Amino acid sequence: MEKKNILKYSIIGFFVISIIGTLLHFTYDFFGRNILIAPFSSVNESVWEHVKIAVMPVFLWTILEFCEMMYRPRNLWTSLLVKILTIMLIIITAYYTYTYIIGKHVLWVDISIFYIAILVSQLLGYKVATSGDVDKNREEIYQYITIFLFILFILFTFLPPRFELFKDETTDTYGVFELK
C-alpha cells in the first residue's frame, strides 16, 4: 500500500510541479517584478532560471506530498536530491546539446525538455523513495546538500556567477538586478 501511495503522489506531483513551474515563468513580471517573488520565479530567460522554476515546485511538492501522506520515508532527502539533480542534468545537458547541434534554441523543444525533466525526476524520485536501501549517514549528508542547493538557487537569483548558464541571452544580463 505504501508504494501505491508514493506512486500516486509521484504522478500527481508531475502535474502539480509542471503547472506551478509553468506559472512561475510568469509570476515575477505579473507581480510587478516583486523582489519577494524573485527567488522562486524566473527573473530572466537564462537556462538557470528555467531550471529554477522546475526545481522550486519540487521542493514544495515533496514537502506537501509527505505531509499529506503523513508519511516521511527514511530516504526523503535522497529522493529529493535525486529529483533536483535529475532536473538540473536533463535541462542543462539537453538544452546545450541541441542548441550546439542546430545553432539556435527552439521554444517547443525548450518546453518539452522542461516537462521531460520533471517527469523523469518524479519517476526516479519514486524509485528512490520506495527502495529499501537507506543509510542514515548518507541521508543526513543529502539533507545538507539539498538545503545548500535550495540556498544557492535563491542566492544565484541575486548574485549569479558570470557564466553562460546564468546569462539572459535576450538582454545579455545576469540575475534579478540585470547585471552586465
Side-chain angles (χ1 to χ4, degrees), residues 114-146:
F114 178 81
Y115 294 120
I116 289 167
I118 294 169
L119 177 63
V120 173
S121 78
Q122 286 299 103
L123 294 172
L124 290 177
Y126 165 77
K127 183 73 173 163
V128 170
T130 57
S131 74
D133 301 332
V134 177
D135 178 334
K136 282 186 173 185
N137 293 329
R138 183 184 70 196
E139 184 70 5
E140 187 174 344
I141 291 168
Y142 291 168
Q143 176 183 2
Y144 293 123
I145 293 170
T146 302

Side-chain angles (χ1 to χ4, degrees), residues 53-168:
I53 62 173
V55 166
M56 286 302 185
V58 169
F59 282 113
L60 174 65
W61 178 254
T62 301
I63 292 166
L64 293 176
E65 174 182 19
F66 291 105
C67 289
E68 175 65 26
M69 289 192 300
M70 297 189 62
Y71 165 75
R72 185 184 181 277
R74 296 170 295 165
N75 54 359
L76 166 67
W77 294 103
T78 305
S79 175
L80 180 55
L81 183 59
V82 164
K83 291 176 190 180
I84 293 164
L85 294 177
T86 298
I87 287 172
M88 293 173 71
L89 181 68
I90 290 174
I91 291 176
I92 293 168
T93 304
Y95 176 81
Y96 285 113
T97 300
Y98 99 81
T99 56
Y100 176 78
I101 292 169
I102 68 170
K104 63 179 182 174
H105 88 90
V106 179
L107 183 60
W108 71 266
V109 175
D110 296 344
I111 293 169
S112 298
I113 290 169
F114 178 81
Y115 294 120
I116 289 167
I118 294 169
L119 177 63
V120 173
S121 78
Q122 286 299 103
L123 294 172
L124 290 177
Y126 165 77
K127 183 73 173 163
V128 170
T130 57
S131 74
D133 301 332
V134 177
D135 178 334
K136 282 186 173 185
N137 293 329
R138 183 184 70 196
E139 184 70 5
E140 187 174 344
I141 291 168
Y142 291 168
Q143 176 183 2
Y144 293 123
I145 293 170
T146 302
I147 292 167
F148 178 72
L149 283 172
F150 180 78
I151 292 167
L152 279 182
F153 273 97
I154 293 171
L155 179 66
F156 288 165
T157 299
F158 300 99
L159 299 168
R162 298 306 192 277
F163 300 122
E164 193 68 26
L165 177 65
F166 300 92
K167 184 178 183 180
D168 180 344

